[in-house]
Amino acid sequence: MKFSHIGVFLCLLLAKPAFAGKVDLPVKDEPYAVPVSVKYALSPKWKDVRFKKVVADGDNSIFILTDAGLFRDFPGEIISKDLRYASLADKCPVDICVQEGTGYLYYLYPDRFLTNKHAGAICGLLPENKYSHMAVNSKDDVLLIGERAGVVYNRNTKVRELGLPPDGLVRVYVSDDRFWYLSATGIYWLDRDKWVKIHSGKNLTAMAFNGDKIAVGTTDGYYVIDRSGKIVESHNNKLPVPLINVMLAVDGNYWFATDQGAFVKQPGGFDYYASKRWLDQDKIIDMAADSDGNLYFLTPSGLNKVQFEQETLAEKAAFLQDNLRKYHLRYGFSSASRLVDPDDPATLRLDDDDNDGLWTSFYLGSQAFRYAVTKEEKAKEYVWESFEAFERLLTIHPIEGFSARTFERTGYIAGDTIPWRPAPDKNWWWKGTTSTDEFVGYLFVTSVIDQFVAQTPEEKKRVADYFDAIMTHIIANDYYFIDHDGKPTLWGRWNPEYVNSFATTQFDRRLNSTLTITGLQLAYKLTGKEIYKSEAFRMMEEHGYLDNMKIPMGNIRFTPGFQHQGITMGEDWNHSDDEMAFLTYWVLYHYAFDDTLKREYAKMIRDHWEIEKPERNALWNLLAYGTSGDIDLESTLWYLQGFPKDRRRYVVKNSHRKDLEFLPKDASTNFREQTTTQLIPKRERPLNRHNNNEFIIDGGRGTHQQLTGDEFLLPYWMARYLDVIR
């Protein structure tokens, strides 16, 4: 793929959202370019080698100058010493470069320069240790620069001796057959045997040639001059990292390498490549680009590539689906993984999680929507496979209608042990303290199985019986989840006394009312039992649950002074509440008692969606579109296309970036914790589930932890079902 195609994708990633309005649907799922990280392996015997410079020749072979000789790339993303030419294998070049135009590799040794092209006929003998830098133009002119002097050769013949500019060399360049000399204070070009100064500056570090323009990097940003030295684009230090080590112009875009990663200038801003997601370390000492537009970043310890590949959303979904099935299923639960040994990918382990049911609802939901779209029997099979885990949460213990958080074989519990209890089957333990988060998962999986998968009377009854048991337990216990100790769990509470104890400025009041009415509606539609309908209207009319549900999101704000069992609430925003609300909205709307309520629900969903738009979450957009009819289409595609197939939870940092506009952290003025005015791409942020703030820009759990990918699969298959993409 040529680099010219990449800009379309990168521009899309950085484009500002086009919010709700008339859109043309469906969008055709066409291939788009996506950046992929490749880290080259280095043989352990070379672990102490020091890297200096990287070049890509005309055949897209990669060569690295080191203190141990010349290294190059080999199949399998391996770098090792270049032993192809026995006459050169034991020699250490002082410098290497590629010839302008041909891409031929040239070597500079202490006593000669040469190339293996032209049948090896070019070889110029030199005074030993006099020259340390070289450049070659398309006319076969070879420029050599040393500490005190320079020289130009044509093939093997010395053409002329050169003096040097008075200020020391930073780097030598060749562009349009002309040689250029960069110092910390000036830019020169070679006019026959004289260096002509065209530009004076301060703290200059790098140059990049782009047609008739030259971008000039400094220790504090960059600016652009024309070839006469006149400034044509003013100084810009609003960069991710202003201190620039190396620059390149690739297909008209400026790339920058720094001590804190690399970035590329796009029409809408900068794409930033840093952290273990992209680099073995952030300090970049050199970079190169091949003819396909792939970038190579050389650090003191390794070689890293960012290559651009074409893929469709369907291809990404197939990859993530296959990966999840192979590596992330635990008893039917969709489970994030960790490496017991962070350095060994074969030590992958699946551990229990407090929210196994909730996380699995994303995977099960994706397969339900997949079945609705494709009618593939495998998708249906996968739904019932995971539903068995939900059913077992009800039966692994003796408490009628109470759903455990999760279960595990005796002796293999990974999490905290206090909430765990032995099951009647001595081979198993189960975990209590079940919360509203888990209840939301039960709501969602029940509804989508009922809507899209359960077809026979037996299947319908199976789903109805499951949810009927849960709701019977809740009603029988005064709208609480009652644990093994006979007491309500910490968060499994829908009782009016609890719900209405929250101020109208706290989202818990709106959310818990919504969960209650949604559960009663769903249970009524599944079973036809009148108690569920009468209870729903009693809650709405006598206890104000409908009014609570309609509390405007703009009314939710910093609310001090509220504690629940010693836990301070109301003073920050819990983004898992957004997750719970939007999953519930699908069920609330589609199982409404009547059309009047449906219209009320659509208004409250739209109200919440409006305040969520800056987070550009595809799932919230699609859940809104499938209920209230609202969608930010551009952000939906931006999310889906930008979701990385590599789901390792890299530790990343963005708070140092100078290109971002930050918002105040004060909870009273920025209650939803939006750190920046605009959201940066997902591949630049810590990779989190849907219950986290999309504006978290620093953090992560490390390369030893990996998400399942259902964070993508559910919105993808919803988009297919809703005919947003095709």
Side-chain angles (χ1 to χ4, degrees), residues 322-595:
D322 181 65
N323 188 272
L324 190 154
R325 295 289 307 172
K326 288 178 177 177
Y327 304 113
H328 291 282
L329 281 181
R330 187 184 74 90
Y331 311 130
F333 293 123
S334 175
S335 297
S337 65
R338 70 178 174 93
L339 299 181
V340 177
D341 178 354
D343 297 321
D344 184 355
T347 62
L348 183 146
R349 175 168 168 172
L350 303 178
D351 293 329
D352 57 78
D353 188 278
D354 269 8
N355 295 120
D356 274 335
L358 175 63
W359 304 142
T360 303
S361 72
F362 290 89
Y363 166 64
L364 187 153
S366 75
Q367 299 310 291
F369 281 101
R370 176 185 166 200
Y371 181 71
V373 172
T374 67
K375 300 304 178 188
E376 294 177 56
E377 284 301 313
K378 274 294 179 185
K380 186 175 185 179
E381 175 189 320
Y382 297 159
V383 168
W384 291 118
E385 175 188 26
S386 285
F387 188 59
E388 282 188 81
F390 283 91
E391 291 175 309
R392 194 167 188 223
L393 290 171
L394 283 179
T395 60
I396 198 163
H397 54 71
I399 306 172
E400 190 71 27
F402 179 75
S403 181
R405 279 187 180 273
T406 189
F407 51 80
E408 184 51 272
R409 286 190 167 92
T410 302
Y412 295 93
I413 297 164
D416 54 332
T417 58
I418 294 174
W420 287 84
R421 291 289 176 270
D425 180 344
K426 65 180 182 180
N427 294 304
W428 293 87
W429 278 50
W430 61 277
K431 189 172 189 177
T433 70
T434 310
S435 69
T436 51
D437 307 68
E438 292 297 282
F439 180 65
V440 168
Y442 312 151
L443 283 171
F444 190 67
V445 301
T446 301
S447 68
V448 295
I449 296 175
D450 177 62
Q451 284 179 283
F452 306 124
V453 180
Q455 296 170 325
T456 67
E458 293 78 14
E459 289 173 339
K460 290 285 188 182
K461 185 176 185 301
R462 179 180 173 183
V463 177
D465 287 348
Y466 163 77
F467 197 68
D468 185 30
I470 294 172
M471 288 306 299
T472 297
H473 173 95
I474 290 173
I475 293 177
N477 288 287
D478 202 18
Y479 288 87
Y480 292 109
F481 263 158
I482 301 299
D483 214 334
H484 71 96
D485 57 2
K487 298 178 182 178
T489 65
L490 180 63
W491 302 115
R493 297 164 179 257
W494 303 273
N495 181 279
E497 182 179 355
Y498 171 78
V499 172
N500 289 328
S501 67
F502 290 96
T504 56
T505 54
Q506 291 176 269
F507 188 65
D508 301 77
R509 186 176 183 126
R510 170 172 163 154
L511 176 62
N512 281 280
S513 298
T514 302
L515 300 183
T516 307
I517 301 306
T518 303
L520 293 168
Q521 283 186 165
L522 178 60
Y524 175 73
K525 286 296 183 77
L526 294 173
T527 68
K529 293 182 179 180
E530 193 60 34
I531 186 174
Y532 293 126
K533 188 172 186 178
S534 62
E535 280 295 294
F537 280 98
R538 183 175 74 86
M539 289 294 190
M540 288 192 284
E541 293 167 0
E542 294 182 20
H543 296 288
Y545 276 32
L546 183 58
D547 289 335
N548 291 345
M549 293 160 65
K550 294 192 290 184
I551 293 172
M553 289 299 297
N555 198 51
I556 308 301
R557 60 181 182 272
F558 179 80
T559 307
F562 187 92
Q563 286 202 335
H564 170 58
Q565 295 194 9
I567 300 170
T568 300
M569 302 175 67
E571 295 185 7
D572 58 3
W573 181 256
N574 183 355
H575 287 265
S576 63
D577 289 350
D578 295 316
E579 174 187 55
M580 288 192 282
F582 275 92
L583 282 180
T584 302
Y585 290 156
W586 180 271
V587 190
L588 176 72
Y589 180 86
H590 288 281
Y591 286 82
F593 288 123
D594 53 51
D595 288 342

Side-chain angles (χ1 to χ4, degrees), residues 164-215:
L164 295 182
D167 34 5
L169 177 69
V170 172
R171 196 154 180 154
V172 63
Y173 298 86
V174 59
S175 176
D176 292 334
D177 288 329
R178 179 171 284 176
F179 294 115
W180 300 78
Y181 182 108
L182 174 69
S183 74
T185 57
I187 297 172
Y188 304 78
W189 63 270
L190 185 62
D191 184 11
R192 293 193 58 80
D193 59 352
K194 294 192 180 299
W195 291 104
V196 178
K197 190 172 189 178
I198 66 158
H199 180 76
S200 295
K202 292 196 302 187
N203 301 317
L204 309 183
T205 59
M207 294 197 300
F209 296 85
N210 187 12
D212 61 353
K213 296 179 180 179
I214 305 171

